[in-house]
Amino acid sequence: QVQLVESGGALVQAGGSLRLSCAASGIFFSINTMGWYRQAPGLQRELVATISGGRTNYADSVKGRFTISRDNAKNAVYLQMNSLNPEDTAVYFCNSDVRTLSGLRTYWGQGTQVTVSS
């Protein structure tokens, strides 16, 4: 079984920064795409950023403010969030495409709350 555990969510003032971390554990062969999604109250879960083979992809709303990175040796993905605004308030979820004995599967973390006050 593969587990993703996020950390780093907090309450921060507008204009501030946070760094989210997510580490994968368990038995698997490799991890392909890793990413971050978020879900605000009453809204659907949306893509924030993904990273695969060194290539990154960002939602328009976070371009220039957020940076995704990964450490393959630690099976970890990070999200550096700068210039936060109240619209960034949401539960942030880590997502990874993991190759296991059962094949390629998508796993999700439990989420970490980010709250930006105005």
Side-chain angles (χ1 to χ4, degrees):
Q1 182 73 326
V2 177
Q3 288 188 322
L4 301 179
V5 178
E6 302 108 331
S7 61
L11 170 64
V12 64
Q13 287 189 331
S17 298
L18 281 176
R19 185 176 188 246
L20 304 183
S21 301
C22 172
S25 63
I27 300 174
F28 52 88
F29 296 118
S30 62
I31 301 176
N32 292 0
T33 302
M34 302 187 82
W36 289 94
Y37 290 70
R38 66 186 181 186
Q39 187 167 18
L43 298 179
Q44 289 187 330
R45 190 172 298 188
E46 63 175 3
L47 173 112
V48 176
T50 61
I51 183 167
S52 177
R55 292 174 296 181
T56 58
N57 177 55
Y58 295 93
D60 288 342
S61 59
V62 307
K63 282 181 181 176
R65 300 188 298 123
F66 291 10
T67 302
I68 189 170
S69 62
R70 65 189 285 177
D71 184 335
N72 292 328
K74 296 182 179 180
N75 297 315
V77 62
Y78 308 97
L79 186 67
Q80 177 66 43
M81 305 186 292
N82 298 328
S83 302
L84 286 161
N85 59 61
E87 290 70 38
D88 295 315
T89 294
V91 178
Y92 284 70
F93 297 90
C94 173
N95 165 289
S96 293
D97 294 332
V98 183
R99 188 168 298 280
T100 69
L101 286 172
S102 301
L104 191 64
R105 293 182 57 186
T106 298
Y107 291 87
W108 291 89
Q110 81 288 352
T112 185
Q113 177 70 47
V114 172
T115 303
V116 184
S117 63
S118 57

